[in-house]
Amino acid sequence: TDLYTARVSSFGGGSIQKFLLKDFLDPDSLQVNTIAQNKRNNLEIEIQDLNGDHLVLDRNWVLVKEPSRLGLGSNYLLEYSLEIFPNKRIKKSLSFFPDSYKIDIEFDFSEVKDLIYRDVRFSWAGGLATTEKDSIDDKTYFKAVVYQGEELEEFKVKEGQRESKKLTGSTDWGAIRTKYFVSALIPNSPETIRFVEVLGEFKNQEEYSLSFVFDCFQKTSFTLYLGPLEYEKVKALGVDLDEIMDFGWSFIRPISKAVLFSLKRMHDYIPNYGVVLIVFSILVKVLVFPL
């Protein structure tokens, strides 16, 4: 799209193998890839048959619908199908948009819902790739966050450990973030979520997986936001995802947001943030000089 180049595999019914952001460069001046190189199987589904046995879904699905021609400026729909019982299929679709980092994900279990256990587990696995030259600084921001009942539940695993946490009930969103980027799963019907599970593991590096469990008898879809932590973009999603951004204590946040707004407006006229910061510092000095 205009914002990114995505490579999508049919494995697991649509896994994002690469997600290259056109407006952001890594230390080698290459486009930032938010997908870790050794963690390419994401957007996973897990279901069980009525005997409690896991059905094998981690294989290549059939691509049954795709745009006739991928061109910039139009929406793209990829739909995958997998036969798990004779003449009975499950479907999963990914919808991409030309001017947004969000991806709509829908499931269809209508053909098999009488043959499977009701709980469906949908996961973002593999975390996010580190993107900064100073990887130690980048990792201080690594964490998983779940938003329920207008409250944040933050989760950060310690070095050398493996931990998990289960949160029950209606969930507005769950996200995994680095210093500048985020992968957020947003259920379009939060009340259909039975529970969320976060898994954190720290071997060579910090890594998080996020799973939503919902009822296959209820229509549930998700929006994946995979992109930069730009305040206007995450705020526009309308689900309070901007709460994941650290603006300080509650009484400091209005000042922090005012500073951010001022810097961005100045950048509209001075296209260099180094110069913007110098000018802003002078303005602050003048403002507080009488004090």
Side-chain angles (χ1 to χ4, degrees):
T1 72
D2 298 323
L3 297 177
Y4 58 83
T5 301
R7 176 186 290 174
V8 183
S9 168
S10 62
F11 189 87
S15 291
I16 301 176
Q17 306 281 286
K18 284 187 178 181
F19 203 80
L20 303 173
L21 304 178
K22 295 183 177 181
D23 294 334
F24 302 91
L25 302 180
D26 66 14
D28 296 323
S29 297
L30 301 174
Q31 291 177 351
V32 162
N33 181 16
T34 57
I35 306 298
Q37 291 300 307
N38 60 337
K39 300 292 181 180
R40 296 181 177 180
N41 298 329
N42 41 54
L43 302 179
E44 298 176 337
I45 305 173
E46 295 178 43
I47 56 177
Q48 300 172 325
D49 62 20
L50 295 177
N51 295 320
D53 297 323
H54 284 276
L55 296 166
V56 180
L57 307 182
D58 53 347
R59 50 193 170 115
N60 289 331
W61 293 31
V62 177
L63 180 61
V64 296
K65 186 181 293 184
E66 63 177 318
S68 57
R69 180 177 181 180
L70 293 179
L72 296 180
S74 58
N75 295 352
Y76 314 140
L77 173 65
L78 301 177
E79 185 176 300
Y80 297 91
S81 173
L82 180 67
E83 184 175 311
I84 58 174
F85 298 106
N87 299 317
K88 301 288 185 180
R89 297 173 175 80
I90 58 175
K91 296 177 182 178
K92 174 180 162 189
S93 65
L94 309 178
S95 297
F96 300 82
F97 304 92
D99 56 353
S100 174
Y101 292 104
K102 72 175 187 177
I103 302 165
D104 285 348
I105 303 166
E106 294 188 359
F107 312 99
D108 184 354
F109 301 101
S110 59
E111 293 185 18
V112 301
K113 64 182 182 180
D114 295 330
L115 301 172
I116 62 174
Y117 182 63
R118 68 171 188 168
D119 284 354
V120 177
R121 179 182 289 264
F122 175 53
S123 307
W124 175 271
L128 292 174
T130 182
T131 59
E132 301 304 298
K133 187 173 184 179
D134 186 351
S135 60
I136 296 176
D137 178 55
D138 193 21
K139 290 172 183 175
T140 60
Y141 294 87
F142 276 32
K143 61 182 174 182
V145 181
V146 176
Y147 191 63
Q148 294 180 323
E150 298 185 353
E151 291 187 2
L152 291 177
E153 291 284 348
E154 298 187 351
F155 184 83
K156 190 168 179 67
V157 68
K158 296 178 181 178
E159 186 170 358
Q161 294 189 1
R162 187 177 190 271
E163 299 177 17
S164 64
K165 189 172 185 178
K166 181 178 178 180
L167 300 162
T168 60
S170 176
T171 303
D172 294 283
W173 50 263
I176 299 166
R177 68 161 293 176
T178 60
K179 187 174 183 179
Y180 296 120
F181 302 96
V182 66
S183 168
L185 283 175
I186 306 164
N188 294 330
S189 300
E191 67 279 359
T192 65
I193 304 303
R194 298 189 59 240
F195 65 86
V196 181
E197 192 167 33
V198 183
L199 174 65
E201 190 170 13
F202 199 139
K203 290 182 179 178
N204 297 325
Q205 70 174 37
E206 221 169 324
E207 184 180 295
Y208 296 96
S209 296
L210 187 66
S211 300
F212 289 76
V213 174
F214 61 92
D215 191 335
C216 71
F217 290 95
Q218 295 180 293
K219 184 174 177 59
T220 304
S221 59
F222 289 80
T223 294
L224 168 67
Y225 177 88
L226 182 57
L229 279 167
E230 291 186 12
Y231 180 73
E232 287 83 359
K233 286 185 169 59
V234 296
K235 180 72 173 177
L237 294 170
V239 293
D240 294 331
L241 184 58
D242 53 295
E243 291 291 329
I244 200 174
M245 304 176 74
D246 186 6
F247 287 104
W249 294 313
S250 57
F251 65 92
I252 293 291
R253 289 174 191 165
I255 299 173
S256 301
K257 292 179 180 180
V259 169
L260 175 62
F261 176 82
S262 301
L263 293 174
K264 292 180 74 66
R265 293 293 77 78
M266 290 173 65
H267 188 259
D268 291 339
Y269 302 96
I270 308 172
N272 184 306
Y273 269 117
V275 177
V276 166
L277 291 173
I278 292 171
V279 173
F280 186 78
S281 299
I282 294 172
L283 291 175
V284 171
K285 289 284 189 182
V286 171
L287 182 65
V288 302
F289 180 76
L291 302 177

